[in-house]
Amino acid sequence: MPTAETVIAARVLQGCAAATFAPTAIGYLTRTIPAHRRAHAFTALTSAFLASAVVAQVAAQFIADRWGWSAAFLASAVVTAGVAVLARVVLVPDRRDGATPLAEAYRGLLRAALLPRLLPFFLIALTLLFGFVGVYAAVRPTNPLGVAGDAGALLTLRATGLPAILLAPLAMPLLARLAPLHRLVVSTAAAALFIGAAAASVPAVGSVGLFTLLLAGFVFASAVALPAAMQATTAAAGAEHLAGANAMYGFWLYIGSSAAAPAVAGAVGLGFTGLGAVFAAVLLAGSAAALGAALLARRAG
């Protein structure tokens, strides 16, 4: 792109295209995966969400250090195009149930957006990726324990999140014994506690090993919380509001993700400890919203 303005315009278009993925993927899994396997499917999907953030950072650092930042962009474009072709070949074709009038589709979206029982889940969606993306976005500008100044240490810190993400689907048979809302309350609170502990450990302990271990715990808790949030949202929506709820859930999920980096840039003076406290507070708000939704569901039941 020849100017910054065209770069921004292209980024807006890319963001609009990317934002359609989450609701589409949730809707696809809901329609094609049997209910008794849906928790595992959602876990695989959200683990891939989180793993992409880790893998992309590791791959981008590796490629950019050798061939420049533009090579990382080009590699991402090639991989994305390849996945698009693969999706067309592998995924089950849509069942055509008849066209929904555009006005009715927007009315359904508005109804889902304002449905009281769904509002807590949209707040939860806002907090989850805000915390996850924000934590990783904060590492480089705040440089906790000097890890951002050491390319090898930074690469290790980023890469150690991947085993924690891969562990979440393996733990799903055990975790599935908890109802999705209960699983969401516990895992979101655990994510807040882990990131709070990691932030506090920087000035209190000063151990890179402990810091990395606590971040891995935060990543695992996030990997458990995301599919629980998806499962609980679709259950609360019901068949009537499912499409609108999926769209709004994906919207708030990406709003949280997109807001994380500007929030870090604006509050970088707090350091990693201060930003970690902010992320912990936001995640605790998400856990409180999940608890409120669980109490409302119990009363309604």
Side-chain angles (χ1 to χ4, degrees):
M1 293 293 179
T3 66
E5 289 76 12
T6 54
V7 171
I8 293 171
R11 179 65 183 90
V12 168
L13 293 175
Q14 186 267 333
C16 289
T20 65
F21 175 76
T24 304
I26 297 168
Y28 175 84
L29 292 181
T30 303
R31 292 186 63 166
T32 57
I33 303 296
H36 67 283
R37 294 182 179 176
R38 211 165 284 156
H40 299 81
F42 283 156
T43 303
L45 176 66
T46 55
S47 295
F49 280 172
L50 299 181
S52 70
V54 176
V55 170
Q57 290 186 46
V58 171
Q61 182 179 339
F62 179 84
I63 293 172
D65 287 346
R66 287 158 178 79
W67 300 291
W69 67 268
S70 59
F73 274 57
L74 291 171
S76 178
V78 170
V79 171
T80 303
V83 169
V85 173
L86 186 64
R88 180 66 182 87
V89 172
V90 172
L91 296 186
V92 177
D94 286 333
R95 300 191 308 271
R96 299 191 180 276
D97 298 331
T100 301
L102 188 60
E104 178 57 31
Y106 279 111
R107 281 194 294 268
L109 182 64
L110 182 61
R111 286 194 295 268
L114 299 177
L115 198 64
R117 69 172 185 266
L118 292 178
L119 295 180
F121 298 101
F122 301 150
L123 174 60
I124 294 162
L126 178 67
T127 65
L128 289 175
L129 282 190
F130 178 82
F132 185 83
V133 174
V135 166
Y136 278 93
V139 169
R140 186 179 285 276
T142 60
N143 193 21
L145 304 175
V147 294
D150 183 336
L154 182 60
L155 192 65
T156 300
L157 180 68
R158 287 169 168 170
T160 50
L162 196 56
I165 294 170
L166 296 176
L167 184 61
L170 299 178
M172 198 59 216
L174 178 64
L175 297 172
R177 298 177 183 180
L178 290 174
L181 267 174
H182 297 160
R183 195 162 69 242
L184 179 58
V185 172
V186 173
S187 58
T188 310
L193 291 175
F194 272 118
I195 191 55
S201 77
V202 173
V205 181
S207 168
V208 174
L210 177 62
F211 179 71
T212 302
L213 185 64
L214 290 170
L215 276 189
F218 162 73
V219 170
F220 175 75
S222 300
V224 172
L226 271 167
M230 281 188 180
Q231 193 178 2
T233 303
T234 55
E240 181 184 358
H241 300 287
L242 187 59
N246 286 346
M248 292 307 303
Y249 178 87
F251 169 77
W252 287 112
L253 196 70
Y254 277 105
I255 287 292
S257 172
S258 300
V264 168
V268 71
L270 297 175
F272 190 88
T273 299
L275 284 169
V278 171
F279 295 133
V282 169
L283 288 166
L284 283 176
S287 182
L291 181 59
L295 293 175
L296 286 175
R298 180 178 294 180
R299 290 177 185 174

PDB file of all heavy atoms in Angstrom, residues 13 64 68 86 89 94-95 99 102 130 133 158 171 175 177 206 215 227-228 246 248 262 269 281 294:
ATOM      1  N   LEU A  13     -11.241  -3.386   5.975  1.00  0.00           N
ATOM      2  CA  LEU A  13     -11.888  -4.423   5.169  1.00  0.00           C
ATOM      3  C   LEU A  13     -11.511  -5.820   5.665  1.00  0.00           C
ATOM      4  O   LEU A  13     -12.354  -6.717   5.753  1.00  0.00           O
ATOM      5  CB  LEU A  13     -11.506  -4.258   3.698  1.00  0.00           C
ATOM      6  CG  LEU A  13     -12.047  -3.001   3.012  1.00  0.00           C
ATOM      7  CD1 LEU A  13     -11.479  -2.900   1.594  1.00  0.00           C
ATOM      8  CD2 LEU A  13     -13.568  -3.020   2.978  1.00  0.00           C
ATOM      9  N   ALA A  64       9.799 -12.392  10.507  1.00  0.00           N
ATOM     10  CA  ALA A  64      10.194 -10.986  10.400  1.00  0.00           C
ATOM     11  C   ALA A  64      11.670 -10.778  10.728  1.00  0.00           C
ATOM     12  O   ALA A  64      12.329  -9.936  10.107  1.00  0.00           O
ATOM     13  CB  ALA A  64       9.326 -10.135  11.323  1.00  0.00           C
ATOM     14  N   GLY A  68      11.922  -9.825   7.105  1.00  0.00           N
ATOM     15  CA  GLY A  68      11.207  -8.558   7.193  1.00  0.00           C
ATOM     16  C   GLY A  68       9.721  -8.739   7.461  1.00  0.00           C
ATOM     17  O   GLY A  68       9.155  -9.815   7.254  1.00  0.00           O
ATOM     18  N   LEU A  86      -9.415 -25.200   1.545  1.00  0.00           N
ATOM     19  CA  LEU A  86      -9.613 -26.420   2.313  1.00  0.00           C
ATOM     20  C   LEU A  86     -11.015 -26.462   2.921  1.00  0.00           C
ATOM     21  O   LEU A  86     -11.678 -27.510   2.918  1.00  0.00           O
ATOM     22  CB  LEU A  86      -8.557 -26.507   3.415  1.00  0.00           C
ATOM     23  CG  LEU A  86      -8.526 -27.793   4.241  1.00  0.00           C
ATOM     24  CD1 LEU A  86      -8.164 -28.988   3.371  1.00  0.00           C
ATOM     25  CD2 LEU A  86      -7.525 -27.659   5.389  1.00  0.00           C
ATOM     26  N   VAL A  89     -13.634 -27.523   0.488  1.00  0.00           N
ATOM     27  CA  VAL A  89     -13.578 -28.937   0.124  1.00  0.00           C
ATOM     28  C   VAL A  89     -14.068 -29.829   1.267  1.00  0.00           C
ATOM     29  O   VAL A  89     -14.779 -30.812   1.044  1.00  0.00           O
ATOM     30  CB  VAL A  89     -12.131 -29.326  -0.272  1.00  0.00           C
ATOM     31  CG1 VAL A  89     -12.012 -30.831  -0.475  1.00  0.00           C
ATOM     32  CG2 VAL A  89     -11.709 -28.579  -1.524  1.00  0.00           C
ATOM     33  N   ASP A  94     -24.041 -26.349   3.247  1.00  0.00           N
ATOM     34  CA  ASP A  94     -25.186 -25.799   3.975  1.00  0.00           C
ATOM     35  C   ASP A  94     -26.487 -26.437   3.513  1.00  0.00           C
ATOM     36  O   ASP A  94     -26.657 -26.756   2.330  1.00  0.00           O
ATOM     37  CB  ASP A  94     -25.278 -24.281   3.754  1.00  0.00           C
ATOM     38  CG  ASP A  94     -24.208 -23.519   4.514  1.00  0.00           C
ATOM     39  OD1 ASP A  94     -23.766 -24.039   5.544  1.00  0.00           O
ATOM     40  OD2 ASP A  94     -23.825 -22.433   4.060  1.00  0.00           O
ATOM     41  N   ARG A  95     -27.402 -26.589   4.475  1.00  0.00           N
ATOM     42  CA  ARG A  95     -28.774 -26.967   4.127  1.00  0.00           C
ATOM     43  C   ARG A  95     -29.534 -25.675   3.831  1.00  0.00           C
ATOM     44  O   ARG A  95     -29.516 -24.734   4.624  1.00  0.00           O
ATOM     45  CB  ARG A  95     -29.455 -27.689   5.296  1.00  0.00           C
ATOM     46  CG  ARG A  95     -28.761 -28.955   5.716  1.00  0.00           C
ATOM     47  CD  ARG A  95     -29.656 -29.739   6.686  1.00  0.00           C
ATOM     48  NE  ARG A  95     -30.102 -28.895   7.805  1.00  0.00           N
ATOM     49  CZ  ARG A  95     -29.413 -28.759   8.934  1.00  0.00           C
ATOM     50  NH1 ARG A  95     -28.254 -29.371   9.074  1.00  0.00           N
ATOM     51  NH2 ARG A  95     -29.881 -27.994   9.915  1.00  0.00           N
ATOM     52  N   ALA A  99     -34.840 -18.534   2.013  1.00  0.00           N
ATOM     53  CA  ALA A  99     -34.234 -17.237   2.310  1.00  0.00           C
ATOM     54  C   ALA A  99     -35.027 -16.504   3.381  1.00  0.00           C
ATOM     55  O   ALA A  99     -36.259 -16.482   3.361  1.00  0.00           O
ATOM     56  CB  ALA A  99     -34.166 -16.399   1.041  1.00  0.00           C
ATOM     57  N   LEU A 102     -34.358  -9.778   4.544  1.00  0.00           N
ATOM     58  CA  LEU A 102     -33.306  -8.999   5.189  1.00  0.00           C
ATOM     59  C   LEU A 102     -33.837  -8.238   6.401  1.00  0.00           C
ATOM     60  O   LEU A 102     -33.195  -8.198   7.459  1.00  0.00           O
ATOM     61  CB  LEU A 102     -32.685  -8.031   4.178  1.00  0.00           C
ATOM     62  CG  LEU A 102     -31.443  -7.269   4.648  1.00  0.00           C
ATOM     63  CD1 LEU A 102     -30.326  -8.230   5.007  1.00  0.00           C
ATOM     64  CD2 LEU A 102     -30.980  -6.293   3.563  1.00  0.00           C
ATOM     65  N   PHE A 130     -10.439  -9.617  25.433  1.00  0.00           N
ATOM     66  CA  PHE A 130      -9.794  -8.382  25.879  1.00  0.00           C
ATOM     67  C   PHE A 130      -8.650  -8.731  26.824  1.00  0.00           C
ATOM     68  O   PHE A 130      -7.544  -8.201  26.703  1.00  0.00           O
ATOM     69  CB  PHE A 130     -10.806  -7.484  26.579  1.00  0.00           C
ATOM     70  CG  PHE A 130     -10.205  -6.205  27.110  1.00  0.00           C
ATOM     71  CD1 PHE A 130     -10.003  -5.123  26.273  1.00  0.00           C
ATOM     72  CD2 PHE A 130      -9.827  -6.094  28.444  1.00  0.00           C
ATOM     73  CE1 PHE A 130      -9.436  -3.942  26.750  1.00  0.00           C
ATOM     74  CE2 PHE A 130      -9.270  -4.923  28.930  1.00  0.00           C
ATOM     75  CZ  PHE A 130      -9.069  -3.844  28.083  1.00  0.00           C
ATOM     76  N   VAL A 133      -5.810 -11.145  24.665  1.00  0.00           N
ATOM     77  CA  VAL A 133      -5.014 -10.388  23.706  1.00  0.00           C
ATOM     78  C   VAL A 133      -4.239  -9.284  24.425  1.00  0.00           C
ATOM     79  O   VAL A 133      -3.072  -9.014  24.099  1.00  0.00           O
ATOM     80  CB  VAL A 133      -5.914  -9.799  22.601  1.00  0.00           C
ATOM     81  CG1 VAL A 133      -5.122  -8.881  21.677  1.00  0.00           C
ATOM     82  CG2 VAL A 133      -6.558 -10.916  21.799  1.00  0.00           C
ATOM     83  N   ARG A 158       6.110 -16.754  24.562  1.00  0.00           N
ATOM     84  CA  ARG A 158       4.964 -16.896  23.675  1.00  0.00           C
ATOM     85  C   ARG A 158       4.658 -18.358  23.389  1.00  0.00           C
ATOM     86  O   ARG A 158       3.496 -18.774  23.384  1.00  0.00           O
ATOM     87  CB  ARG A 158       5.247 -16.153  22.361  1.00  0.00           C
ATOM     88  CG  ARG A 158       5.193 -14.636  22.487  1.00  0.00           C
ATOM     89  CD  ARG A 158       5.730 -13.940  21.254  1.00  0.00           C
ATOM     90  NE  ARG A 158       5.431 -12.510  21.249  1.00  0.00           N
ATOM     91  CZ  ARG A 158       5.937 -11.644  20.400  1.00  0.00           C
ATOM     92  NH1 ARG A 158       6.798 -12.057  19.471  1.00  0.00           N
ATOM     93  NH2 ARG A 158       5.616 -10.370  20.459  1.00  0.00           N
ATOM     94  N   ALA A 171      -8.555 -32.094  28.520  1.00  0.00           N
ATOM     95  CA  ALA A 171      -9.199 -32.062  29.833  1.00  0.00           C
ATOM     96  C   ALA A 171     -10.719 -31.982  29.736  1.00  0.00           C
ATOM     97  O   ALA A 171     -11.409 -32.059  30.761  1.00  0.00           O
ATOM     98  CB  ALA A 171      -8.671 -30.869  30.634  1.00  0.00           C
ATOM     99  N   LEU A 175     -13.817 -31.890  32.518  1.00  0.00           N
ATOM    100  CA  LEU A 175     -14.448 -30.590  32.759  1.00  0.00           C
ATOM    101  C   LEU A 175     -15.923 -30.581  32.367  1.00  0.00           C
ATOM    102  O   LEU A 175     -16.712 -29.809  32.917  1.00  0.00           O
ATOM    103  CB  LEU A 175     -13.702 -29.502  31.977  1.00  0.00           C
ATOM    104  CG  LEU A 175     -12.241 -29.274  32.375  1.00  0.00           C
ATOM    105  CD1 LEU A 175     -11.570 -28.319  31.404  1.00  0.00           C
ATOM    106  CD2 LEU A 175     -12.153 -28.734  33.795  1.00  0.00           C
ATOM    107  N   ARG A 177     -18.153 -32.473  33.112  1.00  0.00           N
ATOM    108  CA  ARG A 177     -19.051 -32.848  34.205  1.00  0.00           C
ATOM    109  C   ARG A 177     -19.699 -31.641  34.844  1.00  0.00           C
ATOM    110  O   ARG A 177     -20.752 -31.760  35.483  1.00  0.00           O
ATOM    111  CB  ARG A 177     -18.260 -33.647  35.264  1.00  0.00           C
ATOM    112  CG  ARG A 177     -17.681 -34.955  34.727  1.00  0.00           C
ATOM    113  CD  ARG A 177     -16.849 -35.654  35.781  1.00  0.00           C
ATOM    114  NE  ARG A 177     -16.227 -36.866  35.256  1.00  0.00           N
ATOM    115  CZ  ARG A 177     -15.444 -37.673  35.962  1.00  0.00           C
ATOM    116  NH1 ARG A 177     -15.183 -37.389  37.236  1.00  0.00           N
ATOM    117  NH2 ARG A 177     -14.914 -38.746  35.407  1.00  0.00           N
ATOM    118  N   GLY A 206      10.202 -11.710  40.887  1.00  0.00           N
ATOM    119  CA  GLY A 206      11.204 -11.445  39.854  1.00  0.00           C
ATOM    120  C   GLY A 206      11.729 -12.686  39.171  1.00  0.00           C
ATOM    121  O   GLY A 206      12.846 -12.691  38.653  1.00  0.00           O
ATOM    122  N   LEU A 215       1.504 -17.441  33.571  1.00  0.00           N
ATOM    123  CA  LEU A 215       0.877 -17.086  32.294  1.00  0.00           C
ATOM    124  C   LEU A 215       0.295 -18.322  31.604  1.00  0.00           C
ATOM    125  O   LEU A 215      -0.772 -18.250  30.984  1.00  0.00           O
ATOM    126  CB  LEU A 215       1.884 -16.401  31.373  1.00  0.00           C
ATOM    127  CG  LEU A 215       2.102 -14.895  31.554  1.00  0.00           C
ATOM    128  CD1 LEU A 215       2.961 -14.349  30.428  1.00  0.00           C
ATOM    129  CD2 LEU A 215       0.783 -14.143  31.627  1.00  0.00           C
ATOM    130  N   PRO A 227     -14.900 -21.888  25.274  1.00  0.00           N
ATOM    131  CA  PRO A 227     -15.943 -22.804  24.803  1.00  0.00           C
ATOM    132  C   PRO A 227     -17.128 -22.880  25.756  1.00  0.00           C
ATOM    133  O   PRO A 227     -18.268 -23.071  25.328  1.00  0.00           O
ATOM    134  CB  PRO A 227     -15.225 -24.152  24.698  1.00  0.00           C
ATOM    135  CG  PRO A 227     -14.053 -24.035  25.603  1.00  0.00           C
ATOM    136  CD  PRO A 227     -13.647 -22.603  25.525  1.00  0.00           C
ATOM    137  N   ALA A 228     -16.874 -22.739  27.066  1.00  0.00           N
ATOM    138  CA  ALA A 228     -17.983 -22.729  28.021  1.00  0.00           C
ATOM    139  C   ALA A 228     -18.903 -21.545  27.752  1.00  0.00           C
ATOM    140  O   ALA A 228     -20.132 -21.662  27.826  1.00  0.00           O
ATOM    141  CB  ALA A 228     -17.439 -22.672  29.448  1.00  0.00           C
ATOM    142  N   ASN A 246     -25.518 -15.696  18.115  1.00  0.00           N
ATOM    143  CA  ASN A 246     -24.192 -16.027  17.599  1.00  0.00           C
ATOM    144  C   ASN A 246     -23.512 -14.797  17.011  1.00  0.00           C
ATOM    145  O   ASN A 246     -22.312 -14.552  17.233  1.00  0.00           O
ATOM    146  CB  ASN A 246     -24.296 -17.117  16.531  1.00  0.00           C
ATOM    147  CG  ASN A 246     -24.579 -18.485  17.110  1.00  0.00           C
ATOM    148  OD1 ASN A 246     -24.443 -18.698  18.316  1.00  0.00           O
ATOM    149  ND2 ASN A 246     -24.990 -19.411  16.268  1.00  0.00           N
ATOM    150  N   MET A 248     -24.111 -11.589  17.686  1.00  0.00           N
ATOM    151  CA  MET A 248     -23.780 -10.622  18.725  1.00  0.00           C
ATOM    152  C   MET A 248     -22.638 -11.115  19.608  1.00  0.00           C
ATOM    153  O   MET A 248     -21.791 -10.321  20.036  1.00  0.00           O
ATOM    154  CB  MET A 248     -25.009 -10.322  19.577  1.00  0.00           C
ATOM    155  CG  MET A 248     -26.102  -9.566  18.857  1.00  0.00           C
ATOM    156  SD  MET A 248     -25.505  -8.029  18.066  1.00  0.00           S
ATOM    157  CE  MET A 248     -24.812  -7.158  19.476  1.00  0.00           C
ATOM    158  N   PRO A 262      -5.218  -0.973  21.852  1.00  0.00           N
ATOM    159  CA  PRO A 262      -5.301   0.463  22.170  1.00  0.00           C
ATOM    160  C   PRO A 262      -5.325   0.731  23.673  1.00  0.00           C
ATOM    161  O   PRO A 262      -4.762   1.735  24.129  1.00  0.00           O
ATOM    162  CB  PRO A 262      -6.613   0.896  21.500  1.00  0.00           C
ATOM    163  CG  PRO A 262      -6.831  -0.083  20.413  1.00  0.00           C
ATOM    164  CD  PRO A 262      -6.293  -1.380  20.932  1.00  0.00           C
ATOM    165  N   GLY A 269       1.939   3.232  30.773  1.00  0.00           N
ATOM    166  CA  GLY A 269       2.672   3.786  31.904  1.00  0.00           C
ATOM    167  C   GLY A 269       2.425   3.044  33.207  1.00  0.00           C
ATOM    168  O   GLY A 269       3.207   3.178  34.159  1.00  0.00           O
ATOM    169  N   ALA A 281      -9.195  -7.426  36.826  1.00  0.00           N
ATOM    170  CA  ALA A 281     -10.471  -6.827  37.220  1.00  0.00           C
ATOM    171  C   ALA A 281     -11.531  -7.025  36.141  1.00  0.00           C
ATOM    172  O   ALA A 281     -12.699  -7.328  36.436  1.00  0.00           O
ATOM    173  CB  ALA A 281     -10.275  -5.343  37.515  1.00  0.00           C
ATOM    174  N   ALA A 294     -26.001 -17.506  35.834  1.00  0.00           N
ATOM    175  CA  ALA A 294     -26.310 -18.794  36.449  1.00  0.00           C
ATOM    176  C   ALA A 294     -27.433 -18.667  37.471  1.00  0.00           C
ATOM    177  O   ALA A 294     -28.329 -19.519  37.533  1.00  0.00           O
ATOM    178  CB  ALA A 294     -25.061 -19.369  37.104  1.00  0.00           C
TER     179      ALA A 294
END
